[in-house]
C-alpha cells in the first residue's frame, strides 16, 4: 500500500490523464485483488470442508452420549473384520445393558435418565484401551468391540466394566441414582 501510494503521487505530479492514472492504478491493484479473491475462495472451501466434517461426525456420533452410534459401530466392525480377514486375530464384543433403566426414567425423569446414560458412556470410555470401540446401540444398550481379545480375556474386562458402572453413584444433579449393568460377551 505504501508503494502504491508513492507511485500514485508520482503519477499525479506528472502530466498523466485521469484515465491513464486509473488504468495504472488498476494494474498495480490487480495482483492484490487476485490474491484477495484466492484467499476468499480458499476460506470458503475451508468452511465447506469444516461443515462436511462436522456433518460427518454428527452422522457417526450419538448426540446424547458423544460416543459412536450404531451406524458407526457397524462400519468399525466391518473395517476390523476386513482388516484381519485370514489373520485369525481374536475379536471380542460386549453388550452392556443398564438394568431397570425404565424405572430410572419413570421415577427420576428422562433428564435424569439422560444423565445416567451420559455418565455411563464416559465411565466405560475412560477404562477402555486405545483401539477399543464404544458405541450406543440404542436406548440403554452399549456395545464395546475389543480387538485382539479372546473370550476368556473378555470376562475380566466385562466384570471390571460391570463393577465400575454398578459402583458409580451416577448423579442426576441432586439425587444419587444407583444403577447396575448386565453384560453379555462373545468372540
Amino acid at each position: 500500500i505504501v508503494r502504491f501510494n508513492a507511485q500514485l503521487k508520482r503519477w499525479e505530479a506528472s502530466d498523466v490523464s485521469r484515465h491513464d492514472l486509473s488504468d495504472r492504478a488498476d494494474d498495480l491493484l490487480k495482483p492484490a485483488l487476485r490474491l484477495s479473491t484466492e484467499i476468499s475462495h480458499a476460506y470458503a472451501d475451508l468452511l465447506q470442508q469444516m461443515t462436511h466434517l462436522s456433518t460427518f461426525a454428527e452422522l457417526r456420533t450419538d448426540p446424547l452420549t458423544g460416543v459412536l452410534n450404531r451406524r458407526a459401530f457397524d462400519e468399525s466392525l466391518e473395517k476390523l473384520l476386513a482388516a484381519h480377514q485370514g489373520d485369525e486375530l481374536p475379536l471380542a464384543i460386549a453388550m452392556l445393558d443398564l438394568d431397570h433403566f425404565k424405572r430410572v426414567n419413570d421415577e427420576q425423569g428422562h433428564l435424569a435418565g439422560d444423565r445416567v446414560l451420559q455418565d455411563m458412556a464416559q465411565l466405560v470410555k475412560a477404562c477402555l484401551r486405545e483401539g477399543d470401540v464404544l458405541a450406543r446401540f440404542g436406548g440403554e444398550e452399549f456395545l464395546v468391540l475389543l480387538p485382539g481379545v479372546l473370550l476368556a480375556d473378555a470376562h475380566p474386562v466385562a466384570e471390571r466394566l460391570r463393577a465400575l458402572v454398578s459402583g458409580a453413584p451416577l448423579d442426576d444433579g441432586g439425587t444419587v441414582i444407583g444403577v447396575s449393568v448386565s453384560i453379555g460377551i462373545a468372540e
Side-chain angles (χ1 to χ4, degrees):
I1 291 181
V2 171
R3 199 174 106 200
F4 173 76
N5 284 337
Q7 184 65 41
L8 192 58
K9 286 185 193 269
R10 280 192 301 271
W11 288 338
E12 286 176 340
S14 66
D15 283 339
V16 177
S17 71
R18 286 271 185 217
H19 181 69
D20 287 342
L21 187 59
S22 177
D23 287 346
R24 289 179 182 179
D26 283 346
D27 289 342
L28 279 177
L29 288 174
K30 280 181 185 175
L33 290 173
R34 232 184 336 247
L35 181 60
S36 173
T37 301
E38 288 176 20
I39 290 171
S40 176
H41 288 294
Y43 182 71
D45 289 345
L46 184 62
L47 285 177
Q48 185 179 13
Q49 289 175 8
M50 287 173 47
T51 301
H52 178 70
L53 286 174
S54 175
T55 301
F56 181 72
E58 288 172 7
L59 291 174
R60 298 180 46 80
T61 305
D62 175 59
L64 178 64
T65 61
V67 300
L68 295 180
N69 63 19
R70 187 172 177 174
R71 175 187 302 177
F73 178 84
D74 290 343
E75 290 171 7
S76 295
L77 179 59
E78 278 183 38
K79 285 179 186 175
L80 277 171
L81 292 174
H84 297 295
Q85 191 172 18
D87 287 347
E88 299 295 321
L89 284 175
L91 175 65
I93 186 169
M95 178 173 248
L96 292 73
D97 186 7
L98 278 169
D99 298 327
H100 314 292
F101 185 70
K102 183 179 179 335
R103 189 174 63 210
V104 172
N105 277 336
D106 290 347
E107 293 175 6
Q108 302 290 327
H110 288 277
L111 231 74
D114 287 352
R115 284 199 188 101
V116 167
L117 292 172
Q118 292 165 340
D119 289 351
M120 185 183 129
Q122 294 312 307
L123 279 171
V124 171
K125 188 177 180 179
C127 78
L128 295 178
R129 305 169 303 166
E130 187 174 331
D132 292 345
V133 178
L134 172 63
R136 184 172 177 204
F137 189 68
E140 72 278 3
E141 299 168 332
F142 292 82
L143 291 169
V144 179
L145 277 178
L146 302 164
V149 175
L150 294 166
L151 186 61
D153 297 325
H155 280 275
V157 174
E159 179 54 31
R160 189 174 72 243
L161 291 173
R162 188 204 59 74
L164 178 70
V165 172
S166 297
L170 303 176
D171 189 354
D172 76 346
T175 307
V176 175
I177 302 171
V179 296
S180 61
V181 65
S182 298
I183 303 176
I185 54 175
E187 180 182 1

